[in-house]
Amino acid sequence: GMRFTFVFSPLLRAVNGLQARTFGIWTLLSSVIRCLCAIDIRNQTLYYITLFTFLMALVHFLSEVFIYHTAALTIGVMAPIMVASFSILGMLIGLQYLEVEALSQNKKKN
């Protein structure tokens, strides 16, 4: 699609339809996981899975730029790097509150 072409345009000849569709499905799956986490923010397992999706996205885009050299540091690459970075930071901060809440719930049960 348009976004994929914009992000990876320097080596467009290295991209085929299967890779583009796989990237699209990954993006859709990540979006569903993130929306489910937003709906059930207290679900620790879902919270960790969501945090992991942001970590994977960050590693993916950074590796494409700095290891594989298949993407340049354009706005199309910087945007997902910044979104993933700020999301990871916010989720790590929120994780403290999630764990404190879980501990207090366990104390109430005992």
Side-chain angles (χ1 to χ4, degrees), residues 8-61:
F8 294 99
S9 57
L11 293 177
L12 190 57
R13 66 189 175 280
V15 177
N16 63 39
L18 176 60
Q19 291 167 318
R21 289 187 299 276
T22 302
F23 188 80
I25 291 296
W26 163 251
T27 302
L28 180 62
L29 177 61
S30 296
S31 300
V32 168
I33 291 170
R34 293 166 186 173
C35 287
L36 289 172
C37 183
I39 291 168
D40 188 9
I41 195 75
R42 289 180 174 84
N43 183 327
Q44 272 192 315
T45 303
L46 190 54
Y47 197 91
Y48 282 112
I49 291 169
T50 304
L51 178 58
F52 189 67
T53 68
F54 285 114
L55 285 168
M56 286 179 63
L58 182 62
V59 168
H60 166 71
F61 281 99

Side-chain angles (χ1 to χ4, degrees), residues 36-96:
L36 289 172
C37 183
I39 291 168
D40 188 9
I41 195 75
R42 289 180 174 84
N43 183 327
Q44 272 192 315
T45 303
L46 190 54
Y47 197 91
Y48 282 112
I49 291 169
T50 304
L51 178 58
F52 189 67
T53 68
F54 285 114
L55 285 168
M56 286 179 63
L58 182 62
V59 168
H60 166 71
F61 281 99
L62 289 175
S63 67
E64 293 299 334
V65 172
F66 296 110
I67 296 172
Y68 302 112
H69 306 289
T70 53
L73 278 177
T74 61
I75 190 65
V77 173
M78 288 300 297
I81 288 173
M82 291 185 334
V83 167
S85 298
F86 288 122
S87 298
I88 290 166
L89 180 63
M91 290 192 77
L92 289 175
I93 292 168
L95 188 59
Q96 298 173 16

